[in-house]
Amino acid sequence: MRTEQSNSPRTCAAPGERELAELDAHWRAANYLAAGQIYLMANPLLREPLRPEHTKPRLLGHWGTSPGLNLVYTHLNRVIKARDLDAICIWGPGHGGPAVLAGSWLDGSYTEHYPDITRDEAGMAALFRQFSFPGGVPSHVAPETPGSIHEGGELGYSLAHAYGAALDNPGLVVACVIGDGEAETGPLAASWHANKFLDPVHDGAVLPILHLNGYKIANPTVLARLPHEELDALLRGYGHEPLHVAGDEPAQVHRAMAAAMDTALDRIADAQHAARTDGATERPRWPVIVLRTPKGWTGPHEVDGVPVEGTWRAHQVPLDQVRDNPEHLAQLEAWLRSYRPDELFDDRGRPVPDVLACLPAGRRRLGANPHANGGLLTRQLPIPPLEKYAVTVDERGATTHEPTRVLGDLLEQVMADTAERRDFRLVGPDETASNRLQAVYRATGKAWEAGLLPTDEHLERGGRVMEILSEHVCQGWLEGYTLTGRHGLFSCYEAFVHIIDSMVNQHVKWLRTTRRLPWRAPVPSLNYLLTSHVWRQDHNGFSHQDPGFVDHVLNKSPEAVRVYFPPDANTLLVTADHVLRSKDYVNVVIAGKQPCFDWLTLEEARVHCARGLGIWDWAGTEDGAREPDVVLACAGDVPTMEVLAAAGLLRRHLPDLAVRVVNVVDIARLLPAEEHPHGMPDREFDAVLTRDKPVIFAYHGYPWLIHRLTYRRAGHPGIHVRGYKEIGTTTTPFDMVLRNDLDRYRLVMDVIDRVPGLAVRAAHVRQRMADVRTRHDAWIRAHGTDLPEVTDWSWPH
Ligand SMILES: Cc1ncc(C[n+]2csc(CCOP(=O)(O)OP(=O)(O)O)c2C)c(N)n1
Ligand SMILES: [Mg+2]
């Protein structure tokens, strides 16, 4: 969505005394509300002396970060209002939930989302009570929090989320509070470089606010203990212009913070103007605010004789025995009264006009900006008809294509069709071309704002392919981009996507929670294309072989995760079309980039993908007169080829055997219907995979997964799974499957071993299979390539 830049420079006068008093009133109110949420379940305005029973039995929450977050909320309100700024904020220390909830209650957006929590005394009591309370709201800046696209429970992702939100939103300013502890994480450290990918013409701005409150949970932070010059030089080295705000005297900090905000927004407006109007191409030195205030600022200075304010001890609950220790209770009451609630709220508990004076209106409020409920802004992605990109399949297995290359042609068109609207991005850690998606470069380049050399290719200011060698940053960008309503695809080596296991956990939790919040509009899914997979690591070998991401993802909420194994080019097209249109999922698509036999026409691929799992009767030898003797099942492109080759061998050597071939695209179909929305009812599963026949299942990844998914089925005792057994190296493609016992000859031996009555009758066939495996070993050592009968194999017509 393209909106005009509304951040005009130098429209904001320095606040006078009256405005400073109003800012301080808002900040004090927010601090009161944050502390109130942590401590109080009654007597919210201290109309009567505080008694133990007014306090919560379990004190849960994080005070330490809250006054700093509140300060940012207050001052963002001011500049948004003064400049009519379109802005959202990412709250990195998301454990400061009480602060952001306070800000949203004050700006009225909370009550709009939750009408029961009114902006008066009754609503304040409910706001306090519900916080970190059973049946209430979480302690963090969770999906339930208006204005948030970032939970901040797992630290490290704020800055990447902020950049993701700013991409292709030229009118948007994304403020981003970064905890000084959070700044020690790898993902955050890498995210500073996102400014080399932000195009001042087509993208919005990110305003990082590094919050140096000096401490984490139990330690000082590294950045807070650097000499000023060293920290300043570090941030300059990242390409920023630091603006330092420091102090513990509120009036002075308000003045300094207002000035820093104004300077920062002026610089942003200048940089955007220079790039957009004057054609400047030099990378702007974007501002960063360094905010140095005490942890737990304005809270208890000392508790039980030890310092708390300005130390790590302020991190969570500074006074933790208020119900039992009268001294703690008295200190709490004095602390809360220090904000002078009687001046901040009227006799009905409503914030007084001074408190509300700094607030912007309507959709400009931080709790109501639609970018933070991005589904509201989502447009359906234009995906061209697949017919133009589909490969022709006149004869099954007679031709090969590289599936990801075929997909690349489709993505090129999607890129071309979104050139104006700019709501589709491809991200990846340096692998777009390696993954054979380079056709997209005909439609757009790779975003790049750093130096350029004549030998560079496809680097482009404003390009919409994003490549940085940090899976964390790629993931963070795409999360920020999709949560603000736009579309994208993350193409990644299968083995290294594990690096973001933990981030995907958090994203799935977010999606699952938002599904239960009627006011959150569905957002485009986060889509992975995992290629360069375990079976085809020609250059790389063991370090690059790990198909376990799927196991990880399938542990997650079944409502929100989908995993697909398209076995050829046309099924990949159909799968990609499906996932790119979907909303609120994490979709994982595993597909090869190496030449792969074309098995299904586009029409067949559509039907097969709609089923998710189906019998390929053309590949089996059932005659319909009796039940099959054995089922050969497969999921994944390489296992599918091995199963078909095994089926061909069985057809030749054991023509009387009734073999059924079943291919699985949507792996969750194997689950019981009660456990996953795509799960198959038992009756259907039993009909296709049988209750009592041997099933030889060739699976792309770790074999245990198939057992996990099918253990409740009647036929489970008969299911024998072959997959990756963690045996890998740099070797030939067929040697990889052979070493892991996934090869066609082993599968035939499995059939002979498991079909009752076959062992003796087919002993000679079994021996022949074993002999080929032996010959293979000698052959590859002598020739360095696979046996001719393997390399020249094609589906027997
Ligand atoms: C990745 C990660 N590791 C550890 C934690 C546990 N944790 C919660 S808060 C915190 C300290 C955060 O310090 P900082 O970022 O400085 O925030 P603030 O001081 O504003 O509370 C830690 C380590 C976490 N939430 N996420
Ligand atoms: Mg800190």
Side-chain angles (χ1 to χ4, degrees):
M1 154 150 292
R2 201 174 245 270
T3 48
E4 282 317 302
Q5 169 55 246
S6 50
N7 173 31
S8 32
R10 282 175 278 280
T11 52
C12 213
E17 290 307 316
R18 163 128 199 99
E19 192 181 356
L20 282 172
E22 288 165 355
L23 292 169
D24 191 59
H26 181 274
W27 182 58
R28 278 191 286 129
N31 285 340
Y32 181 81
L33 294 167
Q37 289 173 76
I38 295 172
Y39 282 99
L40 300 183
M41 54 190 285
N43 191 18
L45 280 159
L46 301 179
R47 303 275 196 224
E48 49 181 310
L50 190 63
R51 293 198 304 273
E53 64 270 25
H54 298 149
T55 65
K56 295 186 176 179
R58 299 174 71 232
L59 299 173
L60 306 169
H62 299 82
W63 164 250
T65 195
S66 295
L69 299 189
N70 284 336
L71 188 86
V72 174
Y73 210 124
T74 300
H75 283 264
L76 282 174
N77 283 339
R78 170 181 166 268
V79 287
I80 292 169
K81 183 176 183 185
R83 293 163 186 256
D84 189 26
L85 207 64
D86 192 9
I88 61 171
C89 187
I90 306 292
W91 309 95
H95 44 283
V100 184
L101 291 166
S104 142
W105 188 80
L106 286 173
D107 76 20
S109 57
Y110 202 81
T111 304
E112 286 160 26
H113 290 97
Y114 304 99
D116 291 347
I117 312 287
T118 44
R119 203 166 56 170
D120 55 17
E121 181 166 357
M124 190 192 295
L127 179 80
F128 287 3
R129 187 188 165 85
Q130 69 168 5
F131 177 76
S132 285
F133 207 78
V137 300
S139 61
H140 283 61
V141 190
E144 290 88 341
T145 311
S148 172
I149 60 161
H150 173 90
E151 215 256 5
E154 188 169 285
L155 298 167
Y157 315 136
S158 61
L159 195 53
H161 282 168
Y163 276 95
L167 297 171
D168 297 324
N169 269 326
L172 188 68
V173 172
V174 186
C176 177
V177 184
I178 301 162
D180 47 358
E182 180 188 17
E184 293 171 14
T185 65
L188 198 291
S191 298
W192 291 111
H193 288 307
N195 59 10
K196 285 80 181 182
F197 298 83
L198 189 86
D199 175 34
V201 177
H202 297 95
D203 300 327
V206 172
L207 173 58
I209 302 168
L210 179 59
H211 187 206
L212 296 189
N213 60 17
Y215 295 92
K216 306 182 286 259
I217 297 177
N219 280 289
T221 61
V222 173
L223 293 186
R225 297 287 173 99
L226 295 184
H228 175 84
E229 297 69 32
E230 199 174 323
L231 176 65
D232 192 79
L234 178 71
L235 295 170
R236 285 183 194 281
Y238 283 133
H240 281 291
E241 180 194 359
L243 302 168
H244 296 273
V245 175
D248 61 1
E249 203 278 299
Q252 171 256 324
V253 175
H254 283 308
R255 243 180 243 112
M257 188 64 173
M261 284 271 184
D262 282 334
T263 306
L265 289 162
D266 285 349
R267 299 278 154 81
I268 288 170
D270 286 343
Q272 291 177 335
H273 188 268
R276 294 174 190 182
T277 312
D278 307 337
T281 54
E282 210 176 304
R283 173 162 52 91
R285 189 167 274 282
W286 299 104
V288 54
I289 293 177
V290 181
L291 174 63
R292 198 186 283 266
T293 54
K295 189 149 185 165
W297 190 17
T298 70
H301 189 60
E302 240 186 54
V303 177
D304 301 333
V306 292
V308 172
E309 185 191 19
T311 79
W312 75 94
R313 293 193 192 92
H315 181 69
Q316 289 181 345
V317 179
L319 296 155
D320 56 3
Q321 286 153 36
V322 290
R323 279 209 166 191
D324 307 321
N325 180 335
E327 223 171 283
H328 279 205
L329 187 70
Q331 245 186 308
L332 172 62
E333 183 165 3
W335 169 21
L336 292 172
R337 290 196 190 279
S338 75
Y339 298 115
R340 307 191 297 282
D342 293 347
E343 289 176 19
L344 304 172
F345 305 100
D346 67 14
D347 53 357
R348 288 172 53 192
R350 297 171 306 192
V352 299
D354 271 9
V355 167
L356 303 181
C358 64
L359 290 175
R363 287 154 59 111
R364 291 296 196 227
R365 291 168 299 164
L366 284 173
N369 191 301
H371 291 286
N373 185 4
L376 295 175
L377 306 175
T378 300
R379 297 168 67 186
Q380 184 71 40
L381 192 65
I383 303 178
L386 301 183
E387 280 71 9
K388 187 168 161 213
Y389 305 92
V391 305
T392 307
V393 183
D394 293 329
E395 244 183 299
R396 294 184 202 288
T399 50
T400 62
H401 283 86
E402 296 154 320
T404 55
R405 197 184 291 277
V406 174
L407 175 64
D409 291 338
L410 177 80
L411 296 179
E412 175 197 348
Q413 193 58 46
V414 177
M415 276 292 182
D417 292 343
T418 52
E420 282 302 310
R421 37 188 278 186
R422 295 184 67 93
D423 59 353
F424 179 63
R425 293 248 177 179
L426 196 57
V427 303
D430 193 28
E431 292 153 12
T432 305
S434 166
N435 291 338
R436 314 247 160 112
L437 300 173
Q438 63 270 49
V440 292
Y441 297 145
R442 295 196 289 254
T444 185
K446 293 182 272 190
W448 190 256
E449 299 283 326
L452 288 166
L453 292 175
T455 43
D456 292 332
E457 278 186 341
H458 308 306
L459 300 182
E460 184 182 305
R461 308 257 189 259
R464 282 179 295 135
V465 177
M466 311 280 294
E467 297 207 323
I468 185 171
L469 211 175
S470 165
E471 283 78 2
H472 290 120
V473 175
C474 291
Q475 172 82 17
W477 278 341
L478 194 54
E479 289 179 0
Y481 198 68
T482 53
L483 290 173
T484 47
R486 288 79 57 73
H487 309 263
L489 179 69
F490 182 174
S491 101
C492 194
Y493 281 10
E494 182 187 49
F496 303 142
V497 75
H498 269 303
I499 290 168
I500 54 78
D501 275 3
S502 200
M503 290 182 80
V504 75
N505 293 346
Q506 301 301 324
H507 192 66
V508 173
K509 286 173 205 272
W510 181 279
L511 293 178
R512 179 182 177 273
T513 307
T514 54
R515 280 164 172 261
R516 288 164 172 68
L517 299 172
W519 59 270
R520 287 251 180 215
V523 294
S525 300
L526 195 144
N527 301 308
Y528 297 95
L529 174 67
L530 304 186
T531 183
S532 302
H533 61 54
V534 56
W535 301 111
R536 290 296 158 82
Q537 280 301 330
D538 299 350
H539 298 281
N540 293 313
F542 203 20
S543 61
H544 288 51
Q545 289 158 343
D546 192 308
F549 186 65
V550 169
D551 302 56
H552 177 71
V553 164
L554 284 172
N555 288 334
K556 305 297 149 196
S557 176
E559 290 160 81
V561 297
R562 301 288 180 266
V563 176
Y564 301 101
F565 288 98
D568 70 356
N570 284 337
T571 47
L572 176 60
L573 284 180
V574 174
T575 305
D577 178 77
H578 174 73
V579 302
L580 289 172
R581 287 176 198 279
S582 72
K583 290 193 175 158
D584 277 354
Y585 295 122
V586 164
N587 292 305
V588 185
V589 181
I590 298 99
K593 65 178 184 181
Q594 304 287 353
C596 167
F597 288 108
D598 305 318
W599 304 118
L600 302 186
T601 65
L602 179 62
E603 264 328 293
E604 290 168 339
R606 284 198 168 114
V607 174
H608 186 53
C609 290
R611 280 195 225 105
L613 171 166
I615 302 169
W616 282 4
D617 46 11
W618 51 268
T621 49
E622 288 179 274
D623 58 9
R626 60 186 170 110
E627 294 192 352
D629 298 314
V630 64
V631 178
L632 292 180
C634 48
D637 53 359
V638 169
T640 297
M641 180 172 73
E642 292 308 310
V643 154
L644 290 176
L649 289 164
L650 290 169
R651 186 183 284 224
R652 172 141 52 98
H653 295 293
L654 296 167
D656 298 338
L657 199 68
V659 177
R660 172 176 293 180
V661 172
V662 173
N663 181 267
V664 184
V665 179
D666 175 355
I667 201 78
R669 294 289 281 149
L670 298 174
L671 277 164
E674 314 83 81
E675 297 300 329
H676 194 286
H678 289 193
M680 264 184 142
D682 276 336
R683 262 172 218 268
E684 241 182 279
F685 184 95
D686 294 349
V688 176
L689 285 138
T690 79
R691 292 175 68 86
D692 51 2
K693 301 291 185 267
V695 176
I696 312 298
F697 200 127
Y699 170 55
H700 171 90
Y702 294 104
W704 327 115
L705 178 72
I706 303 302
H707 289 296
R708 265 172 63 194
L709 302 180
T710 59
Y711 78 95
R712 278 201 223 161
R713 305 292 190 176
H716 180 251
I719 298 181
H720 176 62
V721 188
R722 294 295 187 183
Y724 183 61
K725 296 202 283 197
E726 201 65 15
I727 302 172
T729 179
T730 310
T731 186
T732 66
F734 191 70
D735 194 43
M736 267 302 294
V737 288
L738 188 131
R739 282 168 182 249
N740 287 280
D741 289 327
L742 181 69
D743 62 286
R744 55 200 67 179
Y745 306 111
R746 181 73 241 183
L747 297 178
V748 171
M749 291 160 71
D750 285 339
V751 169
I752 293 168
D753 291 347
R754 282 177 166 73
V755 174
L758 213 53
V760 175
R761 182 158 71 83
H764 57 290
V765 181
R766 193 184 192 287
Q767 182 174 303
R768 214 181 286 175
M769 299 296 118
D771 291 349
V772 188
R773 299 182 96 238
T774 308
R775 262 199 297 125
H776 157 91
D777 206 48
W779 176 274
I780 63 164
R781 278 160 206 278
H783 298 88
T785 58
D786 286 321
L787 284 168
E789 61 212 83
V790 171
T791 51
D792 299 342
W793 180 83
S794 65
W795 174 246
H797 291 99

